[in-house]
Amino acid sequence: MTDPTRVRRHAERIREVVASVVRTQIKDPRLGMITITDARITADLRDATVFYTVLGDAAAQAGTAAALESAKGLLRSTVGKALGLRHSPTLTFVLDHVFDQAKHIDDLLAAARDADAEVQRLAAGAHYAGDPQPYKLPDEAEEEGGIVAGRDTR
């Protein structure tokens, strides 16, 4: 069994190497504005998954996916040499939707903030449903006569 810190270290190194190779060595025109966000590798160091994001529309994402798929051999050999392992890990590229999810969460938070502001605005002019003084107080007339709530206090 492989040490988890070693696996984490190799995954970080894969992310760095793939990002460097994509930036410097791959000259495919289909490759868009790409960011390598994360890399994960299995405990046996045979399979690596590289997560990436692309700035642009669906066509740019599809073109970048095709460019990465065609450059997979170059990337795998470079990663294998950089890691110095007996077997070069197979690379799988996965489009990362983290920014779409973050935008969705931001939209939900903005909607909740607007709803809270509306509730606060409505509550500012509201009054309690009951009397301002909910407790019974003895009447002044009863106090003068010495009778309070049906009892003689003299």
Side-chain angles (χ1 to χ4, degrees):
M1 183 153 157
T2 308
D3 184 26
T5 57
R6 181 176 181 220
V7 172
R8 232 184 348 262
R9 188 174 60 240
H10 282 310
E12 182 66 24
R13 183 72 179 132
I14 288 171
R15 187 184 66 79
E16 292 170 358
V17 168
V18 168
S20 174
V21 170
V22 165
R23 185 179 61 243
T24 59
Q25 294 180 10
I26 298 178
K27 303 298 181 194
D28 196 329
R30 298 175 292 180
L31 197 64
M33 295 291 292
I34 185 172
T35 302
I36 306 298
T37 56
D38 193 17
R40 296 187 185 146
I41 191 167
T42 58
D44 62 356
L45 305 176
R46 294 287 182 122
D47 298 313
T49 305
V50 179
F51 295 92
Y52 67 95
T53 60
V54 179
L55 185 66
D57 57 350
Q61 291 174 356
T64 300
L68 287 173
E69 203 58 38
S70 69
K72 190 183 281 190
L74 170 69
L75 290 168
R76 183 176 179 198
S77 65
T78 307
V79 165
K81 290 175 188 172
L83 293 180
L85 297 173
R86 178 177 294 167
H87 301 283
S88 295
T90 59
L91 298 178
T92 306
F93 294 98
V94 176
L95 183 63
D96 199 357
H97 298 285
V98 71
F99 294 116
D100 296 336
Q101 292 170 351
K103 184 179 181 315
H104 178 68
I105 289 172
D106 285 342
D107 293 342
L108 291 175
L109 287 173
R113 194 176 310 114
D114 293 342
D116 286 347
E118 179 66 20
V119 166
Q120 191 173 16
R121 185 188 65 78
L122 291 173
H127 300 288
Y128 289 108
D131 295 330
Q133 175 55 278
Y135 302 108
K136 281 189 168 183
L137 297 176
D139 292 336
E140 290 179 19
E142 291 177 352
E143 285 182 4
E144 291 175 4
I147 300 175
V148 178
R151 291 184 295 165
D152 189 10
T153 59
R154 292 186 249 176

